[in-house]
Every structure is written in structure tokens, then in C-alpha cells.
Amino acid sequence: MRLTELSERSGVSIATIKYYLREGLLAPGRRIGATTAEYGEDHLRRLRLVRALIQEGRVPVATAREVLGHIDNDSLGRTIRLGAALWALPQEPEPDEDDPAVRAARREVDRVLEALGWETARELSTLSPLHRSLVVAVATLIRLGYPVDAELMEPYAELMHRAAVRDLDSMETYPSEKEQVEAAVVGAVLFEPVLKALHRLAQEEESARRYGIE
């Protein structure tokens, strides 16, 4: 397809596509003339991913480039490739380890990971921005007087594990590892708000069932 068709099918303007090409977010098309190139389905899929990251997810261009670099790195195993791409997304800043709430939160997070037998999460705890985000969130609750401990987190973590199983089952329906990791990144950026909204709707529904709506 030509650039015009790529723009029409993707919903991304020609000017924006050219910007993504200049920034290295989209591979050049196959040259068929001095000023003309042809693009394929791979370009369309990548353009949708770039749009999800930058236009919808508000991910900075430099960060999007890093995420895409991990997705394209065929030398990585699937778990490392997926983890590297997700870790490259915007994350929480480093917590203040002198903060008593942070120390308490880290203890409770470590306790729940141990109780669940999540060995990979425990081994990567000093490196993982996902672990850091959890510690920061729990610390904030503790600091504001809403204590969260391992016992409270454990059933929620088990529900999240079930969601993760469903995520990977869905991811594995894509034909290549690259497309699978792309799907996981899109899920992290665009599908997590769906889960958040479903959670709140479920709370509304359960409240109405227990207490009525009058």
C-alpha cells in the first residue's frame, strides 16, 4: 500500500506518519520510486502500536522508541523480551527508603510474594519497576492511615494471577513472538483502564445487591 492508504487504514495523518518515520518508530517502506515507497501489513500493525503508545497512552517518543527496541530484539527470550518492554513504560520514581511507610510497605510486599510463591518477582525485586510501583502504592496507603498488609493483598494478587493467565492465553493466539509482545504492550497501555472500570462497576453492582439502591 502507498502512504495515503496507510494513513487511511491506520487513522494516522500522513504528516504524523512521516514524523514517526524520521524518529525511527516506523521502519521505512520498500522503495518503488525516487519519491515513492510501498508499505505492508507489518507497517500498519506497527503504526497502530505506535499510535496506542504515543497518542492514546501519552508515552513520550523516546520511551516509545525504547519499548519498540525491546519488542524488536529477537535475541531475547520471550519472558525477558516482554518484561523489558513493559519495564520501559513510564513507572513510579524510586521510593524514599528512609520513609518508615516505605520500609513497612516493602516488608508486606515481600511477605505476600513469599506467601504466593512468586519466586521470579522476589528475585527481581531490586530491579523491577513493577515491584517498585507496588511498594510506592502500598506505602502511600500506609502513610495516609489506610494500612495494607500481606493478608489483605493476597486474595487480590490471586485474582490478578488469574487475569495474567488469561492475558497470556490471549497473547499466545498471535502467530509470532514479536506480535505477542506487541499485544501485551497494547494491553498494558490500553486494556488496564478497562480492568479498572470493570472493578469499579463490580463494586457498584455488589453494593446495590447488598444494600439496595434506595
Side-chain angles (χ1 to χ4, degrees):
M1 73 187 88
R2 302 293 177 87
L3 186 59
T4 301
E5 184 181 354
L6 181 63
S7 174
E8 291 173 352
R9 291 182 62 186
S10 66
V12 180
S13 70
I14 290 176
T16 301
I17 293 174
K18 289 181 177 179
Y19 170 69
Y20 291 162
L21 286 165
R22 290 195 302 272
E23 291 295 322
L25 301 174
L26 187 67
R30 183 176 64 86
R31 284 291 175 190
I32 56 175
T35 59
T36 309
E38 187 174 63
Y39 301 89
E41 293 299 320
D42 286 349
H43 289 92
L44 181 61
R45 191 181 74 247
R46 174 51 59 89
L47 191 52
R48 286 172 175 158
L49 174 58
V50 173
R51 182 183 183 186
L53 288 170
I54 295 177
Q55 294 181 252
E56 305 300 331
R58 301 292 188 265
V59 174
V61 169
T63 302
R65 189 185 298 110
E66 182 181 357
V67 172
L68 296 173
H70 293 309
I71 290 173
D72 292 337
N73 190 345
D74 295 329
S75 69
L76 299 175
R78 186 162 17 183
T79 297
I80 300 300
R81 193 174 186 179
L82 173 59
L86 294 178
W87 285 14
L89 292 171
Q91 306 288 346
E92 293 286 344
E94 290 286 347
D96 179 5
E97 296 298 335
D98 293 328
D99 183 346
V102 169
R103 293 197 296 269
R106 193 174 294 284
R107 285 195 300 270
E108 295 307 319
V109 169
D110 289 345
R111 283 181 61 218
V112 75
L113 295 181
E114 182 177 5
L116 293 165
W118 289 9
E119 295 301 326
T120 301
R122 294 179 67 197
E123 291 172 4
L124 298 176
S125 63
T126 59
L127 300 174
S128 172
L130 308 178
H131 185 279
R132 181 169 69 240
S133 294
L134 180 56
V135 168
V136 169
V138 172
T140 298
L141 285 162
I142 293 172
R143 191 180 303 113
L144 295 177
Y146 299 97
V148 175
D149 59 19
E151 286 73 24
L152 179 64
M153 285 188 282
E154 186 171 347
Y156 287 97
E158 290 169 345
L159 288 173
M160 290 301 99
H161 183 260
R162 289 169 56 193
V165 170
R166 181 67 186 88
D167 290 341
L168 267 65
D169 286 346
S170 177
M171 186 184 82
E172 288 172 357
T173 63
Y174 290 84
S176 69
E177 283 192 17
K178 182 176 180 179
E179 290 172 85
Q180 290 171 10
V181 178
E182 287 178 350
V185 169
V186 170
V189 174
L190 299 184
F191 195 69
E192 285 185 2
V194 175
L195 298 179
K196 180 178 179 180
L198 285 171
H199 184 200
R200 292 184 176 177
L201 285 172
Q203 289 174 329
E204 275 187 5
E205 186 66 23
E206 182 61 20
S207 178
R209 289 178 182 180
R210 292 190 185 198
Y211 315 123
I213 56 175
E214 294 182 0

